[in-house]
Amino acid sequence: MFWRYGVKSVTMEDIAKELGISKKTIYQHFADKDAIVGQVIEKELDCEKTDIERLETEARDPIQEVIMASDYMRATLGTMSPVLLYDLKKYHPKAWNLFQKHKQEHIIHSISDNLRRGIQQRFYRSDINVEVLARMRIEQIEMAFDNTIFPHQSFSMIEIQIEFMHHFLRGILTEEGFKLYNTYIDKSVIESNHP
């Protein structure tokens, strides 16, 4: 419910009704809504970490890993309310801090690792600054949620993320990397036209 509607708009009554239990039962296990939000976010971040690690092992190369991560993000964002991060930041600072810690410790590390492997395999340019680009990439992902930059009624979060991913990749690819990238893109277009 938090993912679909945002955190602020979901009440304790909504949660009780969705679970088919009383609010009293919820309060026997959680002090307040903030405690529920914290546990939900912690569980979701653990699942995301596991999914990202799986992508790293399944991908044949760093370029495919980024494209697979983009597909994963597309599936995740398809059901996510664009106000979720705003609600966490404004109303649930403990959960927001969990998200920020996850971003710093896991997501930036994963992006940095991908960039280093791409450089080693000569798919990414050797002159890129890994630390700067890893932080830039994570901020791009978060920026798509900012309603002041991309009003939700005018922009699809999924389309924004796909544009950012392609822009990011194209900026770091070598000629060899660009050829490989195009094979993935061509294959994706063919698969989407022939279900």
Side-chain angles (χ1 to χ4, degrees), residues 30 44 47 73 75 77 96-97 99 116 140 154 166 187:
F30 298 96
E44 184 62 29
C47 289
M73 196 182 320
L77 293 177
W96 177 252
N97 288 338
F99 172 73
R116 286 187 193 95
Q140 284 180 327
S154 302
H166 287 296
K187 183 179 181 196

Side-chain angles (χ1 to χ4, degrees), residues 70-105:
S70 177
D71 291 341
Y72 170 80
M73 196 182 320
R74 186 178 309 147
T76 304
L77 293 177
T79 59
M80 183 184 287
S81 168
V83 299
L84 177 64
L85 291 185
Y86 174 82
D87 285 356
L88 288 180
K89 188 174 186 177
K90 184 161 183 171
Y91 304 108
H92 301 279
K94 288 179 187 174
W96 177 252
N97 288 338
L98 282 174
F99 172 73
Q100 292 300 311
K101 183 179 177 188
H102 174 76
K103 185 171 92 169
Q104 295 300 319
E105 292 178 3

Side-chain angles (χ1 to χ4, degrees), residues 60-62 116-124 174 176:
R60 290 187 293 258
D61 54 71
R116 286 187 193 95
R117 283 185 288 112
I119 291 169
Q120 287 173 345
Q121 296 174 24
R122 296 194 170 122
F123 295 131
Y124 300 159
T174 61
E176 183 180 349

Side-chain angles (χ1 to χ4, degrees), residues 127-152:
D127 62 338
I128 64 173
N129 184 318
V130 169
E131 299 307 314
V132 170
L133 289 181
R135 283 167 174 71
M136 182 191 81
R137 180 67 186 120
I138 192 66
E139 292 306 317
Q140 284 180 327
I141 293 167
E142 202 171 312
M143 185 174 34
F145 287 87
D146 190 333
N147 193 39
T148 61
I149 300 171
F150 298 105
H152 306 310

